Amino acid sequence: MFSTRAIRALAFANRNRSQRFYSRQAGWQRWRKPAVIVGLSAGACGYAIYNYDTAYLVAVSVYRSSVAAKVTFQIAWDYYRNFPDLPPEDSIDDAERQAILKARSDVHLRSAEKVKRALMKNGGVYIKLGQHISAMQYVLPLEWCLTMQALQDQNTASTLQDLDRVVIADTGKSIEQLFSSFDTEPIGVASLAQVHRAVLRETGEEVAVKIQHPMVRTYSDIDIATVSVMFEFIHSVFPNFKFMWLSSEMKNSLPRELDFRNDKHNAEQVAWNFAKHADIPLTVPRMIQASERVLIMEYVRGRRCDDLLYLKQHDIDPQQVSCAIGRVFAEMTYVQGFLHCDPHPGNLFVRPRAKGSAPHGYNFDLVLLDHGLYRQLSSRFRYEYAEMWYALMKGDQDGIKYWSRRLSGTDLYRLFSIILTGQNWSTIEEKSLSRTTAAAQFNMDTLMEQQPDLFQKIIEVLSSVPPVLLLVLKTNDLLRMIDQRLFADQPPTVQHHSQLRLWMRISHYCLLAIRDAREAEIRHKPTTVSVVRVYRLVFNRLGFWFSDMALTLYSALLSIQDVFIRCNLLLSSLFS
């Protein structure tokens, strides 16, 4: 038996031990959270130290994705809260309608500016996306297209040290070892690469060196995945937003553009295709050496094809430049089936030369650059596309319906025709696409006023057409933009005549493609009477010749009218 005093002493000791235990436990509870944070931070720092490249890549990828996610949420919320519906025209007065249109335009412009800043902040693939958007005038509001056009020239150059690392990694030699001189200031800076003028050390030849930005390839897969997720998110919020085809196209095209060996192959192919066309003033720089990220090619002097001051200084006629560009791309589209799909003015240069010094007879060469994005057009596609254009020229509604269905897979033939030609349906319906004497006014915003559901219909068409046709549509839009810039300082009638000549050049090559397709069909069609086959071939050729001669005569008439218009303007300015 313990005494009372002993029991009290034991109880007091137990109470002290218990208090010390709970005191230590409370202290651990108080410091556990900071300890965990410190431990995780130390682990993360240790991982980053020993795996710096991977950690840096993850951190930057998260940052780039967060920039894209942030602007996606911002513009989605802006459109949700501030973009007003446009009531039917007869339900509101003109002042209310103009106020609504102004509010819609402000949202378009505000959102486009936010997206442009985000794309410029991320660079690389995102700049490429913005450039693609700038060419989508057949579907997007003008505010978006004009805002994104700035991305054609606003790209950040990589440092010489970064470029040297790329060159060493790809070629095994430094810039100094490869070149006796290398201009530190780039000739041009694009979204994926930049170009410098240099002189080869071995041969002394002046060359242009295209070097890929160091981190473009590293981030490309993550960036494309981020864009795809953002588009899927917007689609889940706005079901009518069906632009997933745009991310799919980037996913298919970008790996080819990032491998500069494809540039070399494509350039050599298109040079071979046009070698037999001495009458077309096309020059393709000779490719010297290519690796995945470094391309060395012949240096060709010149300026952008839409630089009107440069053309004037060298006495080069913008109409001839327009004609040459039209012939080159019509030949690619309807005859050769090997199409350059990125013909913006930065990829089309004009090089002056003495008139008569070349077989083509022009006083300039058209220099085609950046051969990363091409598409092979099948003979079936070229034939159907030619038939569609020829039906549009004739205003043949039955033919338009039939070939539109074959090409686009939808019954929205009127809308498809508008997207394809950039003209109002009334101009096509009246059979005046290539014969009207007044310029047809086409404005996507006006059409959307008249048809509030037009945007959804356009998206339906674009989500239905084959991917190759989307790139052809983009190419068409870029060529129309170049043509407009070449005639920007001309009288309205001359501008419109340039548009008519563009239609007639297209008509010529459509007739050529249709003639060859029908001729092949006649030759392969079994018949026991050879005279019948010869008759059909001759009749097919004569039909093409008569139709083409009519186009040639009309084009000559327009040129004569243009001369008289310019002479009248000159005389008016002299005697005013």
Side-chain angles (χ1 to χ4, degrees):
M1 289 292 292
F2 289 105
S3 67
T4 302
R5 182 176 293 177
I7 291 172
R8 288 177 179 172
L10 184 60
F12 178 77
N14 286 337
R15 187 167 63 251
N16 285 343
R17 281 197 299 270
S18 178
Q19 287 175 348
R20 287 196 300 272
F21 171 77
Y22 285 113
S23 176
R24 285 195 300 271
Q25 190 175 33
W28 164 245
Q29 290 286 345
R30 187 168 60 253
W31 290 100
R32 182 172 62 180
K33 187 174 181 179
V36 170
I37 293 173
V38 170
L40 291 175
S41 300
C45 290
Y47 177 82
I49 290 170
Y50 288 100
N51 301 275
Y52 174 78
D53 292 339
T54 304
Y56 178 77
L57 175 62
V58 170
V60 174
S61 299
V62 169
Y63 171 76
R64 291 164 68 85
S65 301
S66 67
V67 170
K70 178 183 177 182
V71 74
T72 300
F73 281 112
Q74 284 178 338
I75 64 171
W77 181 251
D78 199 1
Y79 272 97
Y80 177 75
R81 287 292 303 272
N82 302 316
F83 193 73
D85 292 328
L86 188 64
E89 192 169 359
D90 55 355
S91 64
I92 56 175
D93 59 35
D94 186 62
E96 289 178 299
R97 172 171 289 272
Q98 292 304 317
I100 292 174
L101 291 176
K102 176 66 167 57
R104 290 162 68 101
S105 177
D106 289 344
V107 175
H108 287 322
L109 188 59
R110 189 165 59 241
S111 299
E113 284 290 345
K114 288 178 183 176
V115 171
K116 186 186 79 171
R117 287 195 295 270
L119 297 179
M120 291 179 66
K121 185 179 290 185
N122 279 348
V125 174
Y126 290 93
I127 296 287
K128 200 73 177 175
L129 174 63
Q131 292 172 351
H132 199 107
I133 291 172
S134 72
M136 294 171 63
Q137 296 179 24
Y138 50 82
V139 55
L140 291 178
L142 190 62
E143 293 88 348
W144 278 89
C145 298
L146 292 179
T147 300
M148 295 301 163
Q149 280 179 11
L151 296 177
Q152 298 288 357
D153 302 310
Q154 295 182 13
N155 296 287
T156 304
S158 297
T159 65
L160 193 60
Q161 292 77 14
D162 287 339
L163 296 179
D164 197 34
R165 282 193 284 269
V166 172
V167 172
I168 292 171
D170 268 42
T171 67
K173 295 182 179 180
S174 67
I175 289 176
E176 187 177 359
Q177 291 172 318
L178 284 172
F179 308 106
S180 57
S181 73
F182 188 91
D183 288 358
T184 56
E185 191 69 25
I187 302 169
V189 183
S191 56
L192 304 182
Q194 61 193 63
V195 180
H196 292 256
R197 190 177 66 86
V199 176
L200 283 173
R201 188 173 291 278
E202 288 185 0
T203 64
E205 181 180 1
E206 190 176 30
V207 295
V209 188
K210 181 179 178 181
I211 306 174
Q212 194 173 113
H213 296 306
M215 301 306 291
V216 167
R217 183 181 295 274
T218 305
Y219 298 133
S220 61
D221 291 339
I222 295 170
D223 288 344
I224 292 173
T226 302
V227 170
S228 300
V229 169
M230 293 301 104
F231 281 8
E232 290 287 351
F233 167 76
I234 297 174
H235 176 57
S236 66
V237 178
F238 304 104
N240 289 326
F241 183 96
K242 299 177 181 177
F243 277 92
M244 282 70 72
W245 53 266
L246 184 54
S247 59
S248 298
E249 177 54 39
M250 287 182 62
K251 194 180 298 183
N252 292 331
S253 300
L254 198 62
R256 304 180 195 183
E257 293 187 76
L258 288 175
D259 189 343
F260 291 168
R261 291 171 297 187
N262 289 323
D263 281 56
K264 183 174 184 292
H265 170 76
N266 293 337
E268 291 169 347
Q269 178 66 52
V270 78
W272 186 87
N273 288 349
F274 281 91
K276 56 189 176 184
H277 293 283
D279 59 326
I280 297 178
L282 180 68
T283 293
V284 178
R286 178 173 52 87
M287 300 292 130
I288 298 171
Q289 179 182 332
S291 63
E292 281 192 82
R293 297 185 295 170
V294 179
L295 177 65
I296 303 173
M297 70 194 95
E298 171 193 9
Y299 179 74
V300 180
R301 286 176 170 79
R303 295 285 287 274
R304 288 168 56 118
C305 65
D306 61 346
D307 189 337
L308 296 179
L309 180 60
Y310 181 77
L311 298 183
K312 187 175 181 179
Q313 288 170 347
H314 292 85
D315 196 28
I316 297 172
D317 187 355
Q319 181 176 315
Q320 291 189 336
V321 175
S322 170
C323 178
I325 294 172
R327 289 184 66 192
V328 166
F329 281 89
E331 185 76 28
M332 287 181 174
T333 304
Y334 299 102
V335 181
Q336 299 169 0
F338 192 61
L339 180 63
H340 187 299
C341 294
D342 197 18
H344 62 78
N347 288 338
L348 283 165
F349 274 33
V350 170
R351 176 177 64 179
R353 66 182 308 152
K355 193 167 186 177
S357 62
H360 52 65
Y362 293 90
N363 66 338
F364 67 89
D365 288 324
L366 186 66
V367 184
L368 186 61
L369 304 172
D370 193 358
H371 300 273
L373 185 58
Y374 275 76
R375 279 296 181 273
Q376 190 75 49
L377 309 180
S378 67
S379 56
R380 176 181 173 181
F381 174 86
R382 298 201 307 272
Y383 171 68
E384 292 179 352
Y385 190 64
E387 287 279 17
M388 176 68 187
W389 263 108
Y390 194 51
L392 288 166
M393 297 298 174
K394 296 186 297 181
D396 176 9
Q397 291 200 41
D398 291 334
I400 292 171
K401 288 179 186 177
Y402 177 77
W403 294 111
S404 176
R405 178 70 185 175
R406 291 290 297 267
L407 278 170
S408 69
T410 72
D411 294 320
L412 299 171
Y413 67 93
R414 292 189 179 188
L415 185 57
F416 182 63
S417 302
I418 291 171
I419 293 172
L420 194 59
T421 63
Q423 298 293 308
N424 291 321
W425 172 250
S426 59
T427 307
I428 301 167
E429 190 177 29
E430 293 166 6
K431 304 182 181 181
S432 57
L433 192 61
S434 60
R435 294 190 296 275
T436 183
T437 56
Q441 298 297 319
F442 171 74
N443 187 291
M444 183 62 74
D445 292 331
T446 303
L447 289 178
M448 287 186 177
E449 289 178 43
Q450 298 167 354
Q451 303 179 50
D453 61 342
L454 181 65
F455 185 76
Q456 285 75 25
K457 289 181 179 178
I458 292 174
I459 299 303
E460 181 182 339
V461 170
L462 295 180
S463 60
S464 302
V465 301
V468 68
L469 184 53
L470 292 171
L471 281 177
V472 172
L473 291 174
K474 172 195 169 187
T475 303
N476 280 350
D477 242 33
L478 288 170
L479 293 174
R480 277 199 291 266
M481 178 188 69
I482 291 174
D483 220 52
Q484 290 168 4
R485 292 183 180 180
L486 283 171
F487 291 91
D489 62 347
Q490 297 295 315
T493 305
V494 174
Q495 291 181 17
H496 180 55
H497 285 179
S498 76
Q499 180 70 65
L500 293 181
R501 275 189 289 268
L502 175 61
W503 301 137
M504 284 184 282
R505 282 194 297 271
I506 292 173
S507 294
H508 164 77
Y509 280 96
C510 288
L511 286 168
L512 195 64
I514 294 167
R515 182 202 70 182
D516 291 345
R518 291 177 180 173
E519 191 170 286
E521 183 183 2
I522 292 169
R523 291 183 184 279
H524 289 90
K525 192 173 183 179
T527 179
T528 56
V529 184
S530 59
V531 177
V532 174
R533 177 177 293 167
V534 171
Y535 168 77
R536 288 174 178 169
L537 289 171
V538 171
F539 185 78
N540 183 53
R541 288 269 172 169
L542 284 174
F544 164 78
W545 186 83
F546 281 117
S547 299
D548 198 47
M549 183 58 65
L551 292 172
T552 303
L553 291 174
Y554 188 53
S555 180
L557 177 62
L558 291 177
S559 297
I560 293 170
Q561 289 178 354
D562 287 351
V563 172
F564 279 109
I565 291 169
R566 290 191 179 104
C567 287
N568 285 334
L569 287 173
L570 180 61
L571 291 172
S572 299
S573 63
L574 288 175
F575 294 102
S576 59

